[in-house]
Amino acid sequence: MGNNEIDFIGEKDHEKIYIQVALRIDSETTAQREFGNLLKIQDNYPKLVVTADPYTGSSYEGIQHYPIREFLSVF
């Protein structure tokens, strides 16, 4: 996507999932970097940010944020 990147794009049976990975979200700058690229994608497929943070159960403008342990147990 130009100068922007998405870490992982999974595809199966014509469905997609977009995943950004970061060690932690510890500032607004980091949040905008990790969530911002996903916000630019104009489709309705799931978009996730996975981090080592214990922080859970939240979303940022509709993009789900998962700690790595929860992500591995769900997906």
Side-chain angles (χ1 to χ4, degrees), residues 2-73:
N3 291 331
N4 301 313
E5 70 173 33
I6 303 299
D7 292 329
F8 298 97
I9 302 171
E11 294 185 58
K12 183 177 180 183
D13 298 328
H14 305 289
E15 296 290 321
K16 291 183 184 180
I17 186 169
Y18 301 97
I19 303 170
Q20 284 290 97
V21 179
L23 182 59
R24 64 180 58 90
I25 305 292
D26 56 2
S27 71
E28 185 60 29
T29 302
T30 304
Q32 288 192 11
R33 181 182 67 236
E34 299 303 332
F35 289 93
N37 289 345
L38 293 171
L39 289 170
K40 293 175 184 174
I41 299 171
Q42 298 297 309
D43 65 24
N44 292 320
Y45 292 114
K47 297 163 184 74
L48 312 171
V49 173
V50 179
T51 66
D53 291 334
Y55 184 67
T56 186
S58 115
S59 67
Y60 182 91
E61 295 190 34
I63 298 171
Q64 293 298 310
H65 177 201
Y66 286 92
I68 186 67
R69 289 183 182 195
E70 182 179 343
F71 173 80
L72 293 173
S73 69

